[in-house]
Amino acid sequence: NFLGKDYPVTHGYFCRVSEKGPAMSDYELFIGNKNYSGRTPSVDFAHNDADAMRQFVTKVLGYRKGNIIDLRDATQAQIMAVFGNEKTHEGKLYNWIRPGKSDVTVFYSGHGVPGLKDRRGYLLPVDADPNLVELNGYPVDVLYENLVKMKSKSMTVYLDACFSGDSPKGMIVRATSGISVKPKLPKKTGLTVLTAAQGDQFASWDEDAKMGLFTKNLLDALNGAADGEEYGNSDGEVTVKEVQRYLDDEMTYSARRRYNREQKATVMGNPTTVLSTVQ
């Protein structure tokens, strides 16, 4: 059981688990962005998060190592090569998956920032200037739109990032006061999306566990804590609704108690979708 053990955890992509177990065509994508160029502060536990998530999906869930795309300190070019860009969705992930058959999970840990001019949310590549993110960032709405176009059987996205322009180490971008960004899903989507924070909130760390606060609580939830009597129905299936209840209680309380700040996960998708199974 992963619960209560002091594994290092990383931010990345993590696949759903069905009752029949992982299939040959199921894929995981992890991105852990820790070391940024210039004056952009590091995300100290991003690599830890990616390591722990990879360990979870391979050793606990049994996913094939050959079906994992693992990027550390990803540049804009590397992110585009995997997900495509605003012109095409046909990147590496598109080439790997089987339409209608593959369950795919994407997990990202690193900085997210708001566009100061267009008010879009962006994932921040390690070689990007956060004050010019409209030019060198990766738009979250493009990520969602491209994932939908891949037409996988299911697509789950976990983002341990926020879009406030702030971080535990200080401001990432200048003049972000009053900016609140909430990336929107495409109108027609089968995506399940969970992100670390809402609006102008920022994603905290769990310094004891040495991982993102969202990632630490997400792993606890997926390992069965969210299916317990307090949050779920103890049927062995961890659903989106149960995970949301767990994060709204445990993660939000931890942020308030540790840091005197609000942090509430953003959850989008069908609340009955099963994210993991437990025994």
Side-chain angles (χ1 to χ4, degrees):
N1 193 326
F2 197 80
L3 278 172
K5 296 184 179 180
D6 194 17
Y7 289 104
V9 175
T10 58
H11 301 50
Y13 291 107
F14 164 79
C15 277
R16 289 179 52 200
V17 189
S18 67
E19 292 181 357
K20 297 180 180 180
M24 298 286 283
S25 60
D26 293 345
Y27 298 94
E28 303 85 22
L29 172 58
F30 304 89
I31 297 180
N33 277 2
K34 174 183 177 180
N35 300 303
Y36 283 84
S37 62
R39 297 183 179 180
T40 302
S42 63
V43 181
D44 288 353
F45 305 132
H47 288 183
N48 290 348
D49 287 346
D51 291 338
M53 187 65 78
R54 178 172 180 137
Q55 183 177 27
F56 178 74
V57 301
T58 56
K59 294 188 177 181
V60 179
L61 303 182
Y63 281 88
R64 298 176 64 207
K65 294 182 180 179
N67 285 4
I68 294 174
I69 299 173
D70 190 343
L71 298 177
R72 307 300 173 94
D73 296 337
T75 64
Q76 184 193 47
Q78 290 175 316
I79 294 175
M80 287 185 175
V82 171
F83 296 120
N85 54 29
E86 293 182 277
K87 295 181 179 180
T88 178
H89 64 285
E90 297 182 2
K92 182 176 181 179
L93 184 60
Y94 168 80
N95 292 329
W96 276 32
I97 68 174
R98 296 177 182 270
K101 297 182 179 180
S102 297
D103 290 319
V104 182
T105 300
V106 174
F107 183 95
Y108 171 86
S109 175
H111 286 311
V113 295
L116 298 182
K117 296 179 180 179
D118 61 14
R119 298 301 196 264
R120 297 164 82 185
Y122 290 83
L123 302 183
L124 188 66
V126 296
D127 59 343
D129 182 341
N131 296 293
L132 300 171
V133 73
E134 289 97 341
L135 297 175
N136 52 31
Y138 192 88
V140 177
D141 58 308
V142 172
L143 170 67
Y144 294 162
E145 290 169 1
N146 285 358
L147 293 177
V148 170
K149 292 175 183 177
M150 295 180 194
K151 301 185 183 301
S152 61
K153 180 181 177 182
S154 72
M155 184 72 71
T156 304
V157 181
Y158 300 117
L159 301 180
D160 199 332
C162 62
F163 305 97
S164 64
D166 203 352
S167 80
K169 285 192 169 184
M171 297 301 296
I172 305 169
V173 297
R174 298 189 299 268
T176 57
S177 178
I179 293 181
S180 179
V181 173
K182 182 179 180 181
K184 296 181 180 179
L185 289 174
K187 292 183 179 180
K188 293 183 179 180
T189 174
L191 292 181
T192 298
V193 179
L194 291 84
T195 66
Q198 298 184 359
D200 58 359
Q201 300 172 355
F202 72 87
S204 304
W205 295 339
D206 186 323
E207 295 182 351
D208 295 328
K210 299 188 184 304
M211 64 181 70
L213 190 64
F214 169 77
T215 300
K216 192 270 182 185
N217 282 277
L218 173 66
L219 281 171
D220 287 347
L222 294 172
N223 274 282
D227 190 46
E229 293 183 0
E230 188 173 357
Y231 306 104
N233 56 10
S234 302
D235 66 349
E237 295 183 336
V238 181
T239 66
V240 170
K241 186 176 182 179
E242 290 171 341
V243 171
Q244 182 174 16
R245 286 175 174 170
Y246 185 87
L247 294 175
D248 284 349
D249 189 359
E250 295 294 335
M251 185 191 74
T252 300
Y253 171 73
S254 294
R256 186 171 65 251
R257 176 172 176 171
R258 288 170 179 263
Y259 304 111
N260 193 32
R261 68 172 69 109
E262 288 297 317
Q263 181 180 342
K264 186 173 182 180
T266 298
V267 179
M268 296 175 281
N270 187 335
T272 65
T273 295
V274 178
L275 297 176
S276 67
T277 57
V278 295
Q279 297 182 356

